[in-house]
Amino acid sequence: MEPRSGWTPDRNFWVELASYVFAAGALWLILHIHLLSAVLAGMVVYQLVHVLGPRLQLRISSERARLVAVALLSAVIVALMTALIFGVITFFRSDAGHLEHINGRMMEAVEQARSQLPMWVTDRLPADGEDIHQAVTGFLKDHTQEMSLVGKEALNAMVHIIVGLVLGALVALSSIRPVHHMQPLAAALTRRVTLFGDAFRRIVFAQVKISAINTLFTAIFLVGILPLFDIHLPLRKTMIVVTFVVGLLPVVGNLISNTFIVVLGLSVSLYVAISALIFLIVIHKLEYFLNARIVGTQIQSRAWELLLAMIVLEAAFGLPGLIAAPIYYGYLKSELAEKRLV
């Protein structure tokens, strides 16, 4: 009896396929049950420990001492990250960042901008700040249940972040002593997690650099250049913080912060708004070359590829999908590149 011709899947193929199925299911489940904040927080701590840990281990001889050093490093990172989170919360709860204060200043900005806008635009705007206040109040009354749900989800996200920070530290500690022999499926799953961690590190750390550079240029413009011409926009400190936070979102983050800055410019004069818009366009055009070098060299992706991934995942999972899209896409390209498919 002659053997059948053709390719027959071996055991390694089924192991690899099972690992891909588990990885795809885990990535979908993270977004579906709203665990993205915990995963991102844990990955931040894990990657920071693995970046800084080897430098400590080079200076310490015994294995137990290295474990203690890494444990202390993990505790410091978790403490700093937690302090940063509560620092941002404290800022927005203070007078400078309080929602009512921001709302009042934005109303003043819109009212002042009315005198600078064309008639065909002002005809479609509320008559005055009182109309804006009534519209916002009516919206909040009509959506009381949804707003309470948002507050509850924000609290859950905060708890998830803190738990994720601790879990990331624990996983980083457990990986100090790697297992030298693993079963095939465990080894394949470890490879999937490693590639995802690499994609996370490359995308997130690159985006932090981009956001920091964008925030620096924005701060120079708001507190350095404009005051030279005796122009003082409202909410400058708040806008600097907002620029960094939303700048962590690729592509859309700059659009959000720029829109706010132009609106604030309209509160002073139409010419200030136009000047702000021109400055931001020029700066971002210059940043595109830098961004392309930072992100492009990390995942070899063009802007339209990331934007398409963000649109698809945002349509499927909302804001969490928008945040996860660059990381998921970077991981996908890593898997395809490893198989030499792209």
Side-chain angles (χ1 to χ4, degrees):
M1 183 176 178
E2 296 182 359
R4 290 182 299 176
S5 61
W7 174 76
T8 302
D10 58 6
R11 183 169 180 264
N12 291 333
F13 169 81
W14 294 113
V15 169
E16 286 286 310
L17 180 61
S19 70
Y20 288 125
V21 172
F22 279 124
L27 294 178
W28 173 82
L29 198 62
I30 288 171
L31 294 176
H32 183 67
I33 62 177
H34 311 294
L35 287 180
L36 181 65
S37 57
V39 172
L40 295 184
M43 291 298 296
V44 168
V45 175
Y46 181 85
Q47 294 297 334
L48 286 175
V49 170
H50 274 263
V51 169
L52 301 176
R55 301 181 182 181
L56 287 177
Q57 295 181 29
L58 290 176
R59 301 173 180 270
I60 302 173
S61 58
S62 68
E63 183 177 358
R64 179 174 298 180
R66 289 197 296 268
L67 286 174
V68 173
V70 174
L72 292 176
L73 175 63
S74 302
V76 170
I77 292 175
V78 171
L80 291 177
M81 295 293 295
T82 305
L84 177 62
I85 292 171
F86 282 102
V88 173
I89 294 175
T90 301
F91 171 80
F92 283 105
R93 289 174 64 92
S94 65
D95 292 337
H98 198 275
L99 182 61
E100 293 181 359
H101 175 77
I102 295 175
N103 182 49
R105 295 297 297 272
M106 286 299 293
M107 286 184 179
E108 294 177 5
V110 171
E111 287 187 23
Q112 295 177 20
R114 288 176 58 85
S115 62
Q116 309 292 334
L117 295 173
M119 185 66 67
W120 62 271
V121 175
T122 57
D123 290 341
R124 291 168 173 78
L125 294 176
D128 51 26
E130 184 62 28
D131 285 353
I132 298 174
H133 178 73
Q134 292 178 358
V136 173
T137 304
F139 175 83
L140 293 178
K141 288 182 178 179
D142 295 338
H143 299 81
T144 302
Q145 185 176 359
E146 290 85 347
M147 295 302 295
S148 62
L149 181 61
V150 170
K152 182 179 179 181
E153 291 182 353
L155 180 60
N156 290 337
M158 181 62 59
V159 174
H160 289 166
I161 290 174
I162 295 176
V163 173
L165 292 174
V166 176
L167 287 176
L170 294 176
V171 173
L173 282 174
S174 65
S175 63
I176 297 299
R177 291 179 174 178
V179 179
H180 298 288
H181 178 72
M182 291 186 290
Q183 297 299 323
L185 182 58
L189 289 174
T190 301
R191 182 57 183 166
R192 305 285 81 76
V193 174
T194 300
L195 288 177
F196 180 81
D198 290 342
F200 173 86
R201 184 183 69 254
R202 289 185 280 114
I203 291 294
V204 172
F205 287 1
Q207 196 60 42
V208 168
K209 292 180 183 179
I210 293 171
S211 181
I213 294 172
N214 182 44
T215 303
L216 176 62
F217 285 133
T218 302
I220 291 174
F221 176 69
L222 293 179
V223 302
I225 297 178
L226 288 181
L228 292 177
F229 299 92
D230 199 25
I231 299 173
H232 304 278
L233 293 184
L235 303 173
R236 288 177 296 177
K237 295 180 180 179
T238 303
M239 281 310 308
I240 292 173
V241 175
V242 170
T243 298
F244 178 78
V245 174
V246 301
L248 298 176
L249 294 174
V251 183
V252 296
N254 288 339
L255 296 177
I256 295 173
S257 61
N258 292 350
T259 300
F260 285 144
I261 293 174
V262 172
V263 170
L264 292 176
L266 281 172
S267 68
V268 178
S269 72
L270 180 61
Y271 300 106
V272 172
I274 294 175
S275 302
L277 181 61
I278 293 174
F279 175 83
L280 293 171
I281 290 175
V282 171
I283 288 299
H284 291 319
K285 286 298 181 183
L286 294 176
E287 286 181 356
Y288 283 154
F289 296 99
L290 181 61
N291 295 356
R293 184 170 183 176
I294 294 176
V295 177
T297 55
Q298 298 297 328
I299 62 173
Q300 290 79 41
S301 297
R302 297 182 177 88
W304 68 265
E305 297 179 53
L306 282 178
L307 186 58
L308 180 60
M310 293 165 65
I311 291 174
V312 172
L313 286 186
E314 191 278 333
F317 299 101
L319 181 60
L322 182 68
I323 297 173
I327 303 170
Y328 279 28
Y329 186 69
Y331 166 65
L332 176 61
K333 293 209 73 171
S334 297
E335 290 282 10
L336 295 175
E338 188 178 52
K339 300 300 181 183
R340 298 184 179 179
L341 297 177
V342 294

